[in-house]
Every structure is written in C-alpha cells, then in structure tokens.
Amino acid sequence: WEEDGGADKCSPSLTGEPRKYDPNFKGPIEKRGCTDIVCCILFIICVLAYIAVGILAWSQGDPRKAIYPTDSRGQFCGQAGTPLNKSMVFYFNILKCASPLVLLEFQCPTTQMCVEKCPEKYMTLLSAYPIKKDFDYYKNFCQEGVTNSMVRSDLGTRLCPAVLIPSKSFTKRCFPSLGMNNGKVTVGGKDTVNDGEGNTVPAEDLLYGVKNATVVIEARQVVMKIFEDYTHSWYWILIGLAIAMVLSLLFIILLRYLAAIMVWVVIALLILVIGYGIFHCYMEYASLKGEPGANVTLQELGFQTDFAVYLQLQQTWLAFMIILAIVEVIIILLLIFLRKRILIAIALIKEASRAIGHVMCSLFYPLFTFLLLALVIAYWAVTAVFLSTSNQPIYKVFNESACEYSRQTCSPANFSDSPEKKACPDSQCLFAFYGGETPYHKYLIVLQFYNVFLFFWCANFVIALGQMTLAGAFASYYWAFSKPDDIPTFPVFSSLGRSLRYHTGTLAFGALILSVVQLIRVLLEYLDHKLKGAQNKFAKFLLCCLKCCFWCLEKIIKFLNRNAYIMVAIYGKNFCTAAKDAFFLLLRNMIRVAVLDKVTDFLLFLGKLLVVGLVGVFAFFFFSGRVKAFADTAPNLHYYWVPILTVAVGSFLIASGFFSVYSMCVDTLFLCFLEDLERNDGSAEKPYLMPENLRKILKKKNTAQPGQ
C-alpha cells in the first residue's frame, strides 16, 4: 500500500479498474431497466404461497387453545358443549407437560379432561379400585363409563390416570401442590411419585411439568396487567418518545457544527482512559511489592478456578500494564499516520448533516420502514400461533379382546353407533395424542420453517428497500453540480419509485442470500439446544465453530449488500455486478473504509447511548416515584418498569431510525466521494463535486470554469 494524493492504491489486477470519466453522468441514472427478474418472480411466488400458508393456518388453527383450558376433545371447559360446572382441566400425567412440545403446541401430550374440582388426595388407581368408596372418588377423574372391571385390564390405564396427586387450581388448571421438606420437593408429603407408567420418580420432576404447563398461563396474566399499565401511561410514554426524537435531531445538528470537536474529544477521552488504566496497573504493581506470595509467577501458580488469586500477583498487573501500554502506543501511532483519514471522516460527517438538511424527509422515512416491518412481524407471529394451535386430538380404538379395528383412528362423537363399536362391543374410542393424519398436519413442521424463512426474507427485503431508497436520494444530492438547485424536488419518493419499479428482484436477491444464512444460524442454535445434554466435545466444538463462521458471514453479507444497494441505486445494474463494483471500489480504498466506518459507527453509538440514557433516566425517576415532585403526577402501575422499558426501547428505536439514515447518508456519500476521485481530476471539463473542505484536506482544487 502507498499514499498518493490521498488515495489508497494497489495492483489494478487485484481490485478492478477504476471508473472512467463519463461526461453524461449526472447522478442516479434515470433510464434503466429491470434487474434480476427471475428472483423478482420467485419472490412474488413465494410471498403468494406465504399468504396461502397463512390462510390455511387461520382456517385450521385455534389460538384460544393458548389461552383457555380445553379437554382432550378440544372442548373448552365450562363453556358451551361441556358441563358448565366442570370448569377445571385435569392432566392425567402432568410429567408429560415437561416436554418441549407443550411450548410448541400449547398442549400437554397427555389426556386432559374437564373436572368440577381438583383432586385433594394422593392415591393410585391400583390401590383405589378394590375399595368402593375410594374408587367412587377416583372415578370423578376418569373418562365417562369406566367400571371396576375395566381397571383390571390395559384399558383402565387409558380411561383413568395411574395416580392422583393433591392439586390446586391455577387459572382453571389443576397443578400439583408442591412443598419442601428437608430441602426436597414433596407432594402430598411424599418426595417420590408414580409417573403413570409403573416407575417411581422424584417429586421434583413434577416441578418441570408445572413450569412448562403454566408458562403460557402466567404470560397471559402478565400481559393483561401490562396492557392495563399501558392504558394508564400511554400519553407519558408518547411524551418520552417525543423527547427522544428531539434529542436525536439535536445530536445530528451538533454533528453538523461540532463534528470535529466531538471526534477529537472522543479520541482524547479514549487515550486518557487507557492512560489511567496504565497508571492504575502500575499503582497495583507497586503496592504488591514486598507482599508475601506476590512475586510468584503465573507459570508457577498454574490454572486456578478462583480468578481473584491472579490479582494478588505482581506479574498479573505487570502484564496488564504492558498490554495497555502497547495498545496506547498503537493508537497514538495510528492517529499520527491516519490523521488525514480522520479529517476525511469528519468532513464526510459534516457533509452528511448538510445532505440531510437538504433532504429532510429522509429523517422520517424510517417510519415507513417501521410500519412495513411491523406488518411483517405481525403476520409472522399470527401465522406462527395459528400453525402451533393447528394440531387436533387424535383418538384410537382401544379394547380388551381381539379386534380388527384395534389402534385405528376413530371419532368419539359417533363411536357408539359406528361399525367399530358393533364389531368390538368392549372397545372404547380414547384420546391418543395431539397431531393429525392429514397431509397438512404431517407437514406442519415444514410450514413452520417456511414461515420463519419467509419472515427473514420479507424483513430483509423491507430493510433493503429502505437502504436503496435513501442511497438514491443522497446520491442525487452528491452528484448535483449546483446544490440545492440541481437536487430533484422529491428525491426520496423518486428513489423509492425507481427501487420498486426496476429493482424489486435485486432487493429480493440480496435479501434471499442474507435470509439463507440467518436460517442456517437458527438451525445451528436449534441443534445447539438439542446437544446441550450431549457429552460429545468434538460435536460441541464443531457446532461452536460453525456458529462463529456463520455469524461472521452474516456480518460480511450485510456489509456487501448495503454497498451493493448503493451502487444499484446510482447505476441501475443487477445485484452481482453492483456488489462486485462496490467491493473493488472499497478494496481500492481499504484504509479509508476502515477508519471512516469505525469513526462514524462509534460516534453514532455514543449518540444512541446519550439519547437512551437521558430519556431512560428521566423515565425511571418519573414512573418509579423516586422524585417527590412527580409522585402525584405519575400514574399508579402494576409494574413501573413497563413504561420505563418501553420508553428506553422506543428511544433506542427512534435514535436508531434517525442515525440509520445518517449512517446510510455517510456510506452513500463516501462511495460517491471515492468515485468522484476516480472519475474527475479538477479540470474545467472534469471538476470535482466533493465539498470544498474535503478538497482542502486532500489538497485538491477545481480549475475555474471557462469565462469565470
């Protein structure tokens, strides 16, 4: 690498040919054709199929299963179609509720029936049926029509629970009454229970079943309280978000006028903080001099699980001091050699503020992106819930004697008059499991994955649309020879129209590549969750490496996509060509890219922290009632953290929205600036379009136009 006139150069064979001067180029090309048409057609077909999946899920699913208690026949207890006095749900085997399926399907894979009240005694089926009084009580928790003789056969285990556990009602569900004795979980005074399959298990196993079975119920109660809190505090939340918006605008204005001061202050603070770290390490090193055992080396100490032991050694603080000193020297040397790059970054940050000032509607474009993303998220969430509640109770024929229909599917509604009942009089149509035997139910997991994949694709498409739209608007600003006269009247709307009309396929192509990587990451997380109990260290190591690689790959693709969309917005080429051009252009200016990207990202990160911190602290003191002046004004809430968290998250989203526009503006102007350096030479025929302060930093100047 070498520096020549402010440019970073290397062999053209490695980085592509620099762009040549074009006298007809005046900014984003108006006359362009459609790009990546095949991907556009594929995206439209997939979205139409996604809509069909949603309609199918809505016709099959019933989200009430996630809220209201149902028996194994799918009837809501205490509602129409069931005895009104039987409003509780009783689980035959609560241990099966510990299965992860209960979270996926909102149902425990065990027989559920509506009962009048929860069991109050601990007894097993085998101990109850010989005693008439006990069996009469036990029958309240069995299927209808059960007799003493049925219990002696295998059929009894299907008609009745193997064991009754003392339970209490919680939101109309019967859950075991758990206690503690000598540090052990007990139920009914016993620390072991029958699992319903002839095995004795610890009572604490019930704890996991109860937790899983109640997760949706407890969430519903919390949601209701949160909703009530929102009704009492929504106007104060809006005020907090309005303050966040004002602070975000003020930060962008400050960047326009005080960018240089802010950047150098941040750098100075970083150097001072590291310098203090060196001083602190030296003081700790000096204070340990002469202390017993402080002169032991790290090699002699070996590995210790208590890391505080290392802080008692002189060698530890000496190592910290040397590392920080090396970092400090590297930063100072980088500042000396890259001072011009930092000045370029500051100039571009200022120019980005000017560009936003001329294209003010760009600051509100994130609202459009937010609405589209909200629509995509809502559609995905609703479809996921309906798919998850699409499983139906499956009933099988169970009998004592030989029967040709044994274990075949049946319908309990008309089983008494069915051929199966006539051929096998002692048979019963009993609940077997939740699922379905139609093609729809067999491929339900495939539809769930399709729902997740299309969610990623549509969300990435919306984000890509916003990036290309803003890139086109800011490119129009940069390439305008006379600002603001040559800027289009509605640059954002013009760019949005071009993006949707000509480049839907390109947006879908870039979003598809990113979505595939994200889906693979989801699958890797799923595998990691499955292998948590495994002892295969090689598999864990391999999985960890794959997760790390795909995380890096996702970051790289996002960076390349972003710059590719900028080139598409300017030149109207297809995705692959634009990505190649952007990659080679950035490669030819690698040092500038690294410095500018980090300086800008760090400044915007500080801006987000500032906005969220100021608004969050104000919200905390207001809603928590810590300040007496606000005690009478603040609303009474169940959870005062609800509006605080909402304001903090909302402030972060608002700040991210404003600063994402700013970041996109900087990236677009940067690419345009690099192309400006390659296209033009400052002559009367090929004048630079970069701002004057950038030309001064680079020691470039435009030759006066003829006649001037």
Side-chain angles (χ1 to χ4, degrees), residues 207-227:
L207 195 60
Y208 305 112
V210 172
K211 283 182 178 178
N212 273 346
T214 59
V215 63
V216 176
I217 306 164
E218 292 176 346
R220 177 173 174 263
Q221 286 188 328
V222 171
V223 166
M224 293 302 293
K225 290 182 179 179
I226 289 174
F227 179 77

Side-chain angles (χ1 to χ4, degrees), residues 75 97 142 213 274 284 435 440 445 530 535 540 573 657 677:
Q75 301 177 109
C97 293
C142 295
I274 296 176
E284 291 288 342
Y440 168 76
I445 188 66
K530 286 289 186 181
Q535 300 299 320
K540 290 181 179 180
K573 297 182 179 180
L677 283 174

Side-chain angles (χ1 to χ4, degrees), residues 683-701:
S683 63
E685 295 77 18
K686 298 187 286 184
Y688 293 116
L689 294 178
M690 68 184 73
E692 185 179 355
N693 57 342
L694 261 179
R695 292 201 300 269
K696 287 181 179 179
I697 294 169
L698 298 173
K699 296 180 181 178
K700 305 283 186 181
K701 61 180 180 179

Side-chain angles (χ1 to χ4, degrees), residues 585-620:
L585 179 62
L586 295 172
L587 196 60
R588 292 194 293 271
N589 299 270
M590 186 179 292
I591 298 178
R592 284 179 181 151
V593 172
V595 174
L596 175 78
D597 187 56
K598 295 307 173 188
V599 170
T600 307
D601 286 350
F602 190 61
L603 268 181
L604 297 182
F605 175 72
L606 288 179
K608 291 177 187 178
L609 287 183
L610 179 67
V611 171
V612 175
L614 290 175
V615 178
V617 168
F618 172 78
F620 173 77

